[in-house]
Amino acid sequence: MPVRAFVVLVAALSVCLATLYGAESDYPPSLVAPTEPLTPQEQQQRFHLPEGFVIELVASEPEIHKPMNLAFDGRGRLYVTSSLEYPFPAKEGSRDTLHVLADEDGDGRYDRTTLLVGGLNIPIGVTPTDDGAIYYSIPSIYRWTGNVDAPGGQAGELLYGTFGFRDTHGMASSFTRWLDGWVYACHGFANTSQIKGNDEKAFSMQSGNTFRMRADGSHAEQYTHGQVNPFGLCFDPLGNLYSADCHSMPIYQLLRGAYYPSFGKPHDGLGFGPTMIGHNHGSTGIAGVVYYAADHFPAEYRGTVFIGNPVTGRVNHDRLAWHGSSPQAIEQPDFLWCDDPWFRPVDLKLSPDGALYIADFYNCIIGHYEVPLTHPRRDRQRGRIWRVRYQGDQSDLAQDEKAFDLPARSPDELVKLIGHPNLAVRTLATEELVGRKELPPLATLLPEGTDETSGYCRAHGLWIVERRTAGGLPLEVTRRLANDSSPLVRVHLVKALAERSVWPEESGLVDVIREKLSDDDPFVRRAAAEALGRHPEPASVEPLLKLWRETPNEDTHLIHVARMALRDHLLQPGLTSLLTRLSGDADNRARLAEVSLGAHTADAAEFLLTCLDKMPLDDRTPEYVHEVARYASVERSGELCRWLNGTNLDNGLLARDLALAVHRANQERGTVDPEELTAYAKGVARRLLGSDQAAQVQGGAELARELRLSPLLGTLAELAATGSRPAEVRVAAMEACVAIDAPSAVATLSQILSNPTEAILLRQKAAGSLASIQRDEAREALLVPLRTAPDRLAVEIAAGLAQQKEGAEALLAEITAGRASPRLLQERSVEERLRKTPIAELDARLATLTAGLPAADDRIHQLIAARGDGFTKARADADTGRDVFKKHCAACHRVGGQGGKIGPDLDGVGLRGADRLLEDVLDPSRNVDQAFRSTLIQTGDGRSISGLVLREEGAVLVLADSQGKELRLPLADIDDRVLSPLSPMPANVADLVPEGDFYDLLAFLLSQQQKPKEAVQ
């Protein structure tokens, strides 16, 4: 901010935002339910469902505690991970468990609960295997082997590790087996993990991602990149994978290899993977997703999506509209909700009997960081599992499912079940057949027919043959299935062939797949594009370009897959002559240039260089220039600079962006800017600094700052000191002066800081800039005005002094001598920085200096109370507040899909209520999510910098400052960095935003209350 930092309205907002329920003690209405827990039988009476549906209790405490993930095996048994320890990992003697629920008498109800593995540590993900189960327990994925009906088997065999667990409400979850033999899984928020299987092929994940692994521990690999905290996976009959996610979009249909939005993370150069939903169901905390692929529910529910919403205590419902191969979720009335505010649906599963199973984390607190993790009402004992089924007429087939025991079925019976209407049954039956010693005849597994049942059989049967037969499906069978009447079969065939490590040239498979780019069905075309991307050949480039060109824009998923496939072709060497030939066509050239941004290779970058002269100069050009400068051979840098100097741009800001693109690329690769670039940048910066337009002057100052253009120092110092210039221009000039020559900037900054007629925000900025200069004259320039500074400026000065030992000692001496207020020591930003410095007997000195002062929290409470009272009396306008949000907050946060992605989305934030919003904004460091803490950095040239670390780009660390602006520091310039307990959001937002604007902003945020749709009665 100036409030742009709501950079983390949210440090305190964490990964789930609001609820609908009431308050408890000091906490606002949305955070802690005011009610006492109900028994399962009492809770059951409080549910609301559509007519014809019933909800039944499957299990509850004391047999299980907090259920996290559910999974079914081939005997219909239900595997449940549950926790007593959450949210704190046990250091020893953990009480967490993996249980199995079984139906002993075949009446469709679970009557035996067995402890399979105890002593686990916040276990989340679980899936049965042929010989037991695999599960996650901090810090790894393990395997249990043995007889589920007679526990005591071998537990604790390490499969994959090691997973980070700094944040315990994501980690490794949602293990989901699929026809291809892989187990798919989610990787959770804020954690960093290094994963490898027995093949020692390691990869790293940070925060939200998805990955897949072999159940035997042999190999794991990343599947998609990004999302914030995915928790919940499911497949549809075509093999499309869906995830539930917090703080980006409630559901995604995931595309293999695509990047999705997260906090402050970039995409791969191709843009983020496409979305499929434009609403958030009243919260940003989503967990569990089911694509309903069965016939037990009425027809209007089939092919729709259910998602768990632990924030609102509802199961949401979306119908899917298809645009080619791309889904669009259409919001439906909520499927289920409960009048008991403790209901927290965190996982959903489609069962073999066609019912919807719900893991209920049952808690009065909505999530992880919303209130302190140590809050005494955080429940760790109770948990329930519910089954929702339709109470209409049951078919004979549905009745037969009650005796679900696949290992007891004959091969012929199993073949019938891979044609079953329920995807859960088909998938489990497929896995059972894959594990059998002998397979049924090929004709039995791949029956002829045009009906849906035979299509299901062929689609699943081809996977069985592919996985069990040496060499996979025979070529003649492959060619026959490639022309199958069922698109479902053609899709699965192409997906199965894509999984092969190689396509021998003599097999002709590449021709088979390439033909499918012209298939009548868009899902087949998409599967073919993905397959070709995994098996690149030069001859596929033109057909992929043709597919992209002919695909309607509304089929976003097919287009993105085609672009990724083309990018994957550009990763291959030896395409220079082909690309040169194809780029003779302007449309081909534009498309190939676009996908080159995702290749990050020297060949692709040098191809881009040949395209620059033939492409229009527009807002996209800096991206192309950056790619060339970052990845082309160093020998080509002179050619790029000559092109740059020959552009003769009238648009000074675009010229600035081109210079910055090259400079940043050089930083990232650790090379020095050539003289030609510096000369070009000087000319552009001089032109901009001489403009009469504030935006151009500011742009020139920013260019001078980043490239440290010392010949412009005098001009910049004059701009900084000129009171008639706009504040944003003067701030940019100050920052440039410090970056170029910090010692010479002291006089200018001191003049601004000491001048009481200057705007307080400028004086605060000058104080912060002086504090970053670790020199005696800079500290002296801070100490003198400290004696007469108004409170809000004094806090900025004191916090700056406290960053280094010499400044901290000087601050304490000033306060001891009575020349500064001891109340400054109670400011959290000051105290925390003092505690990071090596000062002897600090606690005793602080106690002495602050003796007799009222508690610091009292002042914050008074401020919050005063603003709360002021808000009730103000005639605040939410529409005006929208403009305030755009000005101050949108650099970091999104509302309605508009804004930055440094901090969490604020859709639905109004459900928190005014009291909580006031607390988060006015005291942002009270409850900081560790993923949103500031980092204090000391540079080799004596500067001190604070910001939120976003990412590393090559040899550069990228941070966001309190304004949401990105700062770039070469890693080689960093001497030290320390994580702070403070939020990067300014603690003085009340000063930064005028009071009237503050109330309008609060009104706008409170208006973000997308109400969940009521369920059909």
Side-chain angles (χ1 to χ4, degrees), residues 70-233:
L70 309 176
F72 292 94
D73 73 4
R75 285 193 165 96
R77 295 175 297 206
L78 178 62
Y79 292 63
V80 183
T81 55
S82 61
S83 178
L84 282 164
E85 306 298 342
Y86 178 86
F88 297 110
K91 295 181 179 178
E92 58 183 24
S94 176
R95 299 164 292 172
D96 295 347
T97 59
L98 167 59
H99 281 88
V100 178
L101 282 60
D103 174 13
E104 293 283 284
D105 56 14
D107 66 352
R109 298 182 182 277
Y110 295 110
D111 41 41
R112 178 167 61 85
T113 301
T114 302
L115 174 65
L116 197 64
V117 189
L120 304 183
N121 203 352
I122 311 187
I124 300 185
V126 62
T127 191
T129 62
D130 297 338
D131 57 356
I134 63 175
Y135 58 88
Y136 172 79
S137 176
I138 293 173
S140 298
I141 294 174
Y142 302 90
R143 173 164 52 196
W144 179 94
T145 55
N147 184 349
V148 174
D149 294 319
Q154 180 66 39
E157 179 188 354
L158 176 65
L159 287 186
Y160 299 101
T162 300
F163 290 82
F165 55 93
R166 64 180 288 197
D167 186 293
T168 59
H169 75 306
M171 301 190 291
S173 72
S174 312
F175 297 176
T176 304
R177 300 188 77 174
W178 188 235
L179 307 178
D180 53 17
W182 291 92
V183 178
Y184 291 76
C186 295
H187 183 265
F189 175 67
N191 297 312
T192 299
S193 304
Q194 301 289 332
I195 313 303
K196 64 180 178 180
N198 297 335
D199 59 0
E200 298 294 318
K201 294 180 179 179
F203 63 100
S204 176
M205 292 181 289
Q206 200 284 318
S207 201
N209 293 278
T210 65
F211 64 104
R212 65 181 191 171
M213 56 191 160
R214 294 298 187 186
D216 61 1
S218 60
H219 178 68
E221 60 189 34
Q222 192 153 0
Y223 189 73
T224 63
H225 306 258
Q227 301 184 89
V228 175
N229 192 29
F231 199 93
L233 295 174

Side-chain angles (χ1 to χ4, degrees), residues 869-891:
D869 183 61
F871 180 66
T872 61
K873 298 175 181 177
R875 301 180 65 180
D877 181 72
D879 289 337
T880 303
R882 181 185 299 275
D883 294 332
V884 179
F885 176 86
K886 290 178 180 177
K887 178 179 179 181
H888 295 294
C889 312

Side-chain angles (χ1 to χ4, degrees), residues 560-573:
H560 199 76
V561 169
R563 293 170 70 244
M564 288 193 294
L566 282 165
R567 181 272 317 278
D568 293 341
H569 278 73
L570 296 188
L571 297 177
Q572 309 304 309

Side-chain angles (χ1 to χ4, degrees), residues 287-341:
V289 60
V290 160
Y291 180 100
Y292 192 80
D295 63 346
H296 177 68
F297 285 9
E300 61 266 30
Y301 294 95
R302 300 172 194 172
T304 67
V305 177
F306 298 98
I307 52 178
N309 196 329
V311 171
T312 62
R314 293 171 177 248
V315 173
N316 305 132
H317 186 214
D318 289 289
R319 178 174 59 82
L320 299 184
W322 292 93
H323 304 279
S325 71
S326 300
Q328 186 63 40
I330 309 299
E331 189 173 13
Q332 304 298 295
D334 288 325
F335 179 67
L336 174 154
W337 83 94
C338 187
D339 290 336
D340 181 359

Side-chain angles (χ1 to χ4, degrees), residues 679-751:
Y680 174 80
K682 287 177 187 175
V684 172
R686 282 197 180 98
R687 178 152 55 105
L688 291 171
L689 291 174
S691 171
D692 58 0
Q693 298 180 32
Q696 299 229 11
V697 179
Q698 184 178 351
E702 291 168 350
L703 178 59
R705 172 179 60 80
E706 282 215 37
L707 273 73
R708 301 193 182 187
L709 302 176
S710 55
L712 303 179
L713 190 58
T715 302
L716 291 163
E718 182 180 349
L719 283 170
T722 303
S724 59
R725 291 283 188 171
E728 60 271 21
V729 169
R730 297 181 66 191
V731 167
M734 277 191 270
E735 292 174 342
C737 289
V738 173
I740 294 169
D741 187 352
S744 71
V746 171
T748 300
L749 295 171
S750 178
Q751 179 182 353

Side-chain angles (χ1 to χ4, degrees), residues 40-55:
Q41 293 71 28
E42 291 171 329
Q43 183 191 5
Q44 186 174 6
Q45 303 307 311
R46 306 292 183 93
F47 283 103
H48 299 263
L49 299 102
E51 184 178 353
F53 287 88
V54 295
I55 189 165

Side-chain angles (χ1 to χ4, degrees), residues 449-529:
T450 58
D451 59 301
E452 187 175 66
T453 297
S454 65
Y456 287 150
C457 283
R458 293 193 300 280
H460 287 249
L462 70 85
W463 279 107
I464 297 168
V465 178
E466 178 71 14
R467 290 170 61 186
R468 280 291 309 276
T469 305
L473 285 159
L475 184 58
E476 64 275 13
V477 175
T478 298
R479 293 187 182 281
R480 173 165 57 85
L481 293 176
N483 296 302
D484 196 279
S485 61
S486 168
L488 176 76
V489 175
R490 302 198 300 274
V491 167
H492 280 284
L493 173 71
V494 174
K495 287 178 178 286
L497 296 176
E499 290 290 336
R500 294 187 183 181
S501 58
V502 294
W503 290 346
E505 184 175 351
E506 64 275 10
S507 71
L509 287 180
V510 67
D511 296 322
V512 172
I513 301 301
R514 207 176 285 144
E515 289 174 1
K516 296 295 101 181
L517 292 178
S518 302
D519 194 277
D520 292 339
D521 186 84
F523 293 101
V524 178
R525 298 196 294 272
R526 199 175 91 189

